[in-house]
Amino acid sequence: MPTPSPDRRFVLQAMLAAGGCALVNPPAAAQAPVITRPIPSSGEQLPVVGLGSWITFNVGRDPQQRATCTEVVRAFFAGGGRLIDSSPMYGSAQSVIGDALARLGNPQTLFSADKVWTSSGGAQQIDTSRTLWRIPRFDLLQVHNLLAWEAHLPLLLRMKAEKRLRYVGITTSEGRRHGEFVKIMESQPLDFVQLSYNALDREVENRILPLARERRIAVIVNRPFRQGELTQALAGKPLPGWAREIGCTSWAQILLKFIVSHPDVTCAIPATSNPAHARENMLAARGPLPDAALRRRIVADVQRLT
């Protein structure tokens, strides 16, 4: 097993010092079934934790790093994961995913989510992306950061009507262009939206998440750790006593459970290049989720400690 990164290693050490020896005595949550949520437009169930690939899978042709990414994907599927998300924007990530899927025998449980990210030539880019993934078709295609969405959404909707695609969506991140995002959600027949949301960045609770519920749109959450900023800030901070109530053995799991406990969130997509972290993240899709009172306490504690 790869050595945990310093931030998570310090958290584990603090847990051990506090008597919470989770590595020796795994929590009951580890034996619980994977929590799923339905895609509103179809009823298909998705595990509430997926896998992102921004930065972490952009490893070029390095054989050792590609092999490590394959182990991340192996751990993800072994933990009950399905949805893997990528984009043409993510460097070599698409080919790394395709390589991993091929090495693992093309897992049939895969839910493939990618994006179109170009000012023109969307159809050609999509075909290139599909070739890199080595799959016959995508489950979900999203217009990345709304780039040229007026041209791309009709293409994706036509692909869906022709059964060359199962779901259509749009994405944004870091709170950008929320006004335009809302207008598209209100006017277009979307299956998915993807956005940033975590215990500190909660603007989407006000309008976008309620609108997703109203419009029956699934929600994928990106940047659950603020690209590692939150887990690094919480490194070495002892876990609160209430963490055991929801089966959490790390701050990363607490942060993920906060996100996926929101009833309008379908799936969070943490990215990692560490197989141990992939296993740890998938455990957040099992066991109890925080209720409304505990969600408020998580926000307060994260604000206080970061």
Side-chain angles (χ1 to χ4, degrees):
M1 178 185 300
T3 301
S5 65
D7 56 328
R8 298 200 188 186
R9 185 171 65 245
F10 294 154
V11 170
L12 292 174
Q13 289 171 346
M15 289 162 47
L16 293 173
C21 189
L23 297 182
V24 177
N25 299 301
Q31 308 303 318
V34 172
I35 301 166
T36 63
R37 290 265 168 77
I39 300 170
S41 65
S42 69
E44 179 180 358
Q45 297 285 327
L46 279 180
V48 294
V49 176
L51 179 65
S53 58
W54 168 234
I55 297 179
T56 54
F57 275 33
N58 184 19
V59 299
R61 297 182 178 277
D62 184 284
Q64 183 173 350
Q65 292 188 68
R66 279 180 170 254
T68 299
C69 289
T70 295
E71 293 310 305
V72 168
V73 176
R74 187 193 305 276
F76 172 71
F77 282 119
R82 288 192 62 204
L83 188 153
I84 300 178
D85 178 87
S86 195
S87 170
M89 183 188 184
Y90 299 170
S92 63
Q94 293 172 311
S95 65
V96 171
I97 291 170
D99 188 34
L101 295 174
R103 292 186 184 192
L104 297 175
N106 301 307
Q108 296 302 298
T109 54
L110 169 69
F111 187 99
S112 53
D114 209 286
K115 308 178 184 76
V116 55
W117 184 70
T118 180
S119 57
S120 63
Q124 294 89 339
Q125 185 183 72
I126 290 167
D127 194 54
T128 298
S129 297
R130 183 191 57 76
T131 300
L132 291 170
W133 276 67
R134 308 189 204 181
I135 57 176
R137 69 171 182 175
F138 285 109
D139 292 297
L140 166 65
L141 282 172
Q142 307 150 93
V143 180
H144 195 158
N145 287 336
L146 306 185
L147 179 62
W149 71 267
E150 299 92 338
H152 298 319
L153 264 186
L155 167 65
L156 300 187
L157 291 169
R158 186 165 61 251
M159 290 177 64
K160 179 182 175 183
E162 295 169 353
K163 301 190 183 305
R164 295 186 290 132
L165 176 66
R166 299 178 64 218
Y167 300 104
V168 173
I170 58 174
T171 84
T172 188
S173 61
E174 302 180 66
R176 292 175 291 192
R177 301 175 70 178
H178 278 182
E180 187 174 7
F181 206 75
V182 165
K183 291 179 181 178
I184 299 170
M185 290 176 67
E186 291 175 332
S187 63
Q188 301 296 320
L190 302 174
D191 299 298
F192 278 83
V193 293
Q194 183 180 144
L195 45 80
S196 298
Y197 176 54
N198 56 62
L200 297 186
D201 301 310
R202 299 168 51 217
E203 178 189 341
V204 296
E205 292 179 347
N206 299 326
R207 177 58 176 143
I208 292 180
L209 292 181
L211 180 59
R213 178 176 65 251
E214 176 187 325
R215 296 282 292 170
R216 296 184 56 79
I217 301 171
V219 176
I220 298 172
V221 171
N222 58 42
R223 293 174 57 86
F225 306 142
R226 279 188 176 176
Q227 202 171 312
E229 176 185 330
L230 290 180
T231 48
Q232 290 169 14
L234 293 166
K237 306 288 175 48
L239 292 183
W242 50 256
R244 294 185 181 182
E245 298 175 18
I246 53 174
C248 289
T249 61
S250 71
W251 278 107
Q253 291 172 348
I254 290 171
L255 294 169
L256 287 172
K257 285 205 171 191
F258 169 81
I259 293 167
V260 303
S261 63
H262 193 292
D264 300 325
V265 168
T266 308
C267 180
I269 51 170
T272 182
S273 57
N274 187 322
H277 291 174
R279 286 188 284 271
E280 178 185 334
N281 292 341
M282 284 309 303
L283 287 175
R286 299 176 186 268
L289 293 176
D291 59 16
L294 186 49
R295 282 174 54 81
R296 291 191 292 270
R297 186 166 182 179
I298 291 172
V299 170
D301 283 355
V302 172
Q303 289 176 334
R304 176 176 56 85
L305 294 171
T306 57

